Amino acid sequence: VTFDHTLPVETDLGRRDFTINAMAIDLADGHLLDPFGGYDDLQQRRLRQVSTVAFPEDPLRMLRGIQLAARFTLQIVLATRKSMHTHAAAITTVAPERIAEELRKLLQAWAPSQGFVAMYEVGLLIHILPQLARLAEGAAFTRTMRRLDAVQQCERLSYRGHLDLLLAALLCDSGLSVPMQTGTGLALKDLAQASARLARQRLEALKITTIGATPALISALIAHSAFEISALATPAALRHFAHAVGCPEAFMLFELRLADRLGNEPEHPVDDLLDLRQRLRMAIDQKTPLSLKELAINGDDLQRLGIPAGPRLG
């Protein structure tokens, strides 16, 4: 890259990505410099590339355009969509960290699903999240998109908009992208485990920690997402579950399921999930011990009472 301080501003603007980003104010008299019609595009909520070389010069601009369209309710014009489709494969040349940052912005949209649907339509999704792209022709993709939007929109969720929960909702059905026997009971847990492994592999490949996400937590949420609500009916079962997965994780799991229910089965009541969440909160408020270290009595106390070390003490 070489720099030329004599370069006309119009030439500089011509090197930008989209017309709405290719405007300037002349500081001498305050008038708008808008050689590519960006102001009109902004008023009409249109997203249009500045030139046909915009995407070959920097393929990340395609993903940036999609997240801008989703976040600010912009319509990507047909010619720009076609150009994205033509150059979609070039996204594989972009550093994972840069892709992850654009995904972070997309997940901030009120309806992130709009961006992921657009990514699929222009051919970007298969290169960025192939497991998700392989679901796009079936009902699982629709369910995923509704679950994702519910995590962002539902006011009943304490973890509403949480990055890790959004990514868990997005990749929770990754295992459906590979052939396997699915059904009920153990098979659903096997599917959850497979989804967790695939999700973690993809998140690590995208270097997702650079945007503050936690692959270990996301994969754990997916792995435990097939929990049976009825199995947590007793206080002891709920305590064991919270101890096994962790308290914050338990709350996030309840809300992942809650988002799925609200997004895909809004006619069904959610009292059972709300009850689980409330019961666990009450247990914590009442300082109910959920792990050995929280017990008032430990092994040393028992030995002082005369119980010898061994299985019985444990």
Side-chain angles (χ1 to χ4, degrees):
V1 177
T2 57
F3 297 90
D4 180 2
H5 70 280
T6 66
L7 192 73
V9 68
E10 292 81 4
T11 303
D12 179 79
L13 294 175
R15 296 176 175 179
R16 304 302 171 90
D17 49 9
F18 303 103
T19 59
I20 60 172
N21 291 334
M23 295 181 281
I25 293 291
D26 189 327
L27 297 181
D29 56 19
H31 82 274
L32 178 69
L33 295 167
D34 183 19
F36 303 102
Y39 183 78
D40 186 54
D41 282 345
L42 192 59
Q43 296 303 305
Q44 299 301 319
R45 310 198 77 80
R46 289 190 298 253
L47 192 75
R48 183 163 52 92
Q49 62 182 349
V50 170
S51 73
T52 56
V53 299
F55 300 150
E57 283 184 347
D58 183 359
L60 186 68
R61 288 170 167 174
M62 295 182 285
L63 188 53
R64 183 182 303 140
I66 283 173
Q67 61 91 352
L68 286 171
R71 286 168 60 209
F72 300 109
T73 322
L74 307 175
Q75 183 68 36
I76 304 174
V77 302
L78 183 59
T80 299
R81 289 179 70 93
K82 287 182 175 179
S83 184
M84 287 179 176
H85 194 275
T86 298
H87 300 289
I91 197 71
T92 58
T93 66
V94 177
E97 297 91 338
R98 299 181 71 208
I99 292 174
E101 176 59 19
E102 296 304 318
L103 290 177
R104 182 190 67 79
K105 294 176 182 176
L106 171 55
L107 289 168
Q108 293 176 341
W110 174 249
S113 63
Q114 294 179 2
F116 290 99
V117 169
M119 286 167 64
Y120 172 72
E121 291 173 346
V122 302
L124 282 170
L125 193 60
I126 191 65
H127 301 293
I128 297 172
L129 294 169
Q131 294 87 355
L132 185 60
R134 294 187 190 110
L135 304 180
E137 297 298 335
F141 186 77
T142 300
R143 187 175 192 95
T144 294
M145 293 298 100
R146 289 175 177 169
R147 180 196 309 126
L148 176 67
D149 285 351
V151 172
Q152 184 64 283
Q153 298 170 9
C154 181
E155 294 182 356
R156 293 188 182 187
L157 269 59
S158 303
Y159 286 91
R160 172 184 169 189
H162 190 287
L163 180 59
D164 290 326
L165 192 60
L166 285 164
L167 288 166
L170 182 67
L171 300 173
C172 177
D173 291 326
S174 297
L176 290 172
S177 65
V178 295
M180 65 178 293
Q181 289 294 112
T182 59
T184 58
L186 185 60
L188 287 177
K189 293 182 179 179
D190 289 342
L191 175 61
Q193 294 290 333
S195 297
R197 287 193 298 270
L198 290 170
R200 184 156 188 173
Q201 289 169 7
R202 193 61 199 146
L203 292 172
E204 289 179 347
L206 286 169
K207 301 191 186 317
I208 209 73
T209 55
T210 59
I211 63 169
T214 314
L217 171 58
I218 296 163
S219 62
L221 292 174
I222 296 173
H224 292 104
S225 62
F227 71 92
E228 293 182 24
I229 297 174
S230 59
L232 305 181
T234 67
L238 184 59
R239 289 198 303 272
H240 283 293
F241 181 74
H243 172 65
V245 304
C247 275
E249 292 82 357
F251 283 119
M252 294 180 83
L253 281 166
F254 298 155
E255 299 206 341
L256 181 61
R257 186 72 67 85
L258 186 61
D260 189 76
R261 184 92 59 87
L262 292 170
N264 290 285
E265 303 167 14
E267 71 283 359
H268 288 182
V270 293
D271 294 347
D272 52 351
L273 288 163
L274 296 177
D275 179 62
L276 279 179
R277 191 172 66 175
Q278 182 61 25
R279 284 169 50 210
L280 183 55
R281 281 178 179 162
M282 288 178 61
I284 293 171
D285 290 344
Q286 293 168 1
K287 301 190 184 311
T288 302
L290 300 173
S291 66
L292 286 176
K293 66 180 180 181
E294 295 176 10
L295 292 171
I297 297 174
N298 61 31
D300 292 336
D301 297 320
L302 296 181
Q303 288 189 65
R304 280 195 291 271
L305 292 171
I307 299 174
R312 182 165 173 258
L313 178 69

